[in-house]
Amino acid sequence: MKLNRAGRVFAKKAMTGIASRNSLLKKFAVHAVEPAIQQDVLSRKQVWQCCTPKSASTFLNKILSALWREDVCSGPPVPYWRDRMQEPDPISVYRCMSRSIKPYFSGHLHQKFNSYLFERFIKYQQEFRGGVIVQTRDVKDTVLSLKEMVDKTYQKERRLGGLWFVGVNSKWPEFSNEEKLAVVAASYTFWHFDFQRSWKNYSQRIEVDYESVTTQTADVVREISKFFGIPKSSDQIDEALGEVAGTAPESRRFNRGVSGRGKKILPLRVQEMIGVIEGLMGGVRD
């Protein structure tokens, strides 16, 4: 049945009303479950892996998920609440945590520390030996690796991936290599240093970097497990490492990046740009 103009206007208003109602219901649901989440936080250990991109976070996440399989409830990366990137969706956290009474582990989170995160999720974690793994990589190596990832994504999908690159889809093929690196550096570097600086405000954290995760993997995993009160033997760690190394073809690409590439390859202009941003951010260093 075809609608006349008046009918189409009526239908549009009706659909707008339904969407508005659903939005209000979702907001109400969030407020309704938050007290329950607060109570859960008081009685549950949480371990979050918060990281900069291209820092071998997927590699470490797979190892810890295999190693802690019997000790924790591993949840997917916590979705962000609506469009506010740094605020986890409380409904998703509650659903994951309600599946099990075990400690909750969620990894691969590109989240900075802030008051919302602290008050609702990690305020009480020191008491329960929970907290955050803060995982980073040298900023110049990260910029180079991100640019290479963006190039590959564009070749496959004809668009840019990642939440730092906005408004350059149509121009990307026209940029020179140096211009692409400059775009990535300008878009990402501030977030990188802000991420590092923000987590200095939270004491219940253990810091790891790309180099240690990829070259001293067993030692890093052992220290992380000890820090969160989930100690493991060398045999158990070796078994988890072997399991990850022998899984999907994806594992064969883990950690091919060479430390120090950024300093050698990035054009001087791009390195100077990163240095200026670092200075403005108060000298936080990798």
Side-chain angles (χ1 to χ4, degrees), residues 94-274:
Y94 182 73
R95 285 172 178 167
C96 291
M97 292 179 69
S98 64
R99 294 201 310 261
S100 170
I101 62 172
K102 294 179 179 179
Y104 176 66
F105 172 53
S106 182
H108 205 62
L109 305 171
H110 299 315
Q111 291 196 19
K112 293 181 278 188
F113 175 89
N114 58 52
S115 58
Y116 179 95
L117 190 67
F118 178 75
E119 289 293 336
R120 286 166 174 76
F121 298 102
I122 59 178
K123 184 176 183 179
Y124 309 98
Q125 290 308 303
Q126 186 165 352
E127 179 180 353
F128 296 103
R129 297 193 72 178
V132 176
I133 304 164
V134 179
Q135 186 168 354
T136 58
R137 186 180 185 181
D138 175 80
V139 64
K140 294 178 182 178
D141 288 350
T142 304
V143 166
L144 182 60
S145 187
L146 274 175
K147 183 265 178 186
E148 293 169 347
M149 180 194 75
V150 171
D151 272 340
K152 291 177 182 177
T153 301
Y154 194 88
Q155 288 174 4
K156 291 181 179 179
E157 303 178 17
R158 309 308 296 173
R159 65 178 181 84
L160 301 185
L163 44 87
W164 297 281
F165 313 112
V166 179
V168 294
N169 269 329
S170 60
K171 299 179 182 178
W172 190 256
E174 303 171 10
F175 290 152
S176 67
N177 188 64
E178 182 171 336
E179 287 172 332
K180 289 179 179 179
L181 288 167
V183 168
V184 174
S187 303
Y188 167 75
T189 303
F190 175 88
W191 187 94
H192 181 99
F193 289 122
D194 200 37
F195 172 92
Q196 289 182 293
R197 184 173 65 174
S198 72
W199 282 109
K200 300 296 182 185
N201 296 316
Y202 182 60
S203 61
Q204 191 63 9
R205 70 183 190 277
I206 180 169
E207 297 184 7
V208 300
D209 58 30
Y210 177 89
E211 286 73 27
S212 61
V213 169
T214 56
T215 63
Q216 304 168 44
T217 311
D219 291 338
V220 168
V221 170
R222 184 178 296 105
E223 287 301 311
I224 291 173
S225 296
K226 181 180 178 181
F227 183 86
F228 292 113
I230 315 174
K232 295 295 179 180
S233 68
S234 296
D235 289 343
Q236 289 173 311
I237 293 172
D238 289 342
E239 183 178 348
L241 292 177
E243 179 180 330
V244 171
T247 53
E250 180 187 25
S251 66
R252 292 196 292 270
R253 68 170 176 82
F254 282 148
N255 314 317
R256 286 186 178 179
V258 178
S259 297
R261 284 198 313 146
K263 188 174 182 179
K264 294 179 181 178
I265 296 176
L266 290 183
L268 179 60
R269 180 168 71 98
V270 176
Q271 295 198 44
E272 289 175 345
M273 180 191 303
I274 293 172

Side-chain angles (χ1 to χ4, degrees), residues 65-82:
S65 295
L67 183 64
W68 294 348
R69 185 177 291 118
E70 302 300 323
D71 306 285
V72 303
C73 174
S74 292
V78 180
Y80 301 126
W81 168 235
R82 297 176 69 85

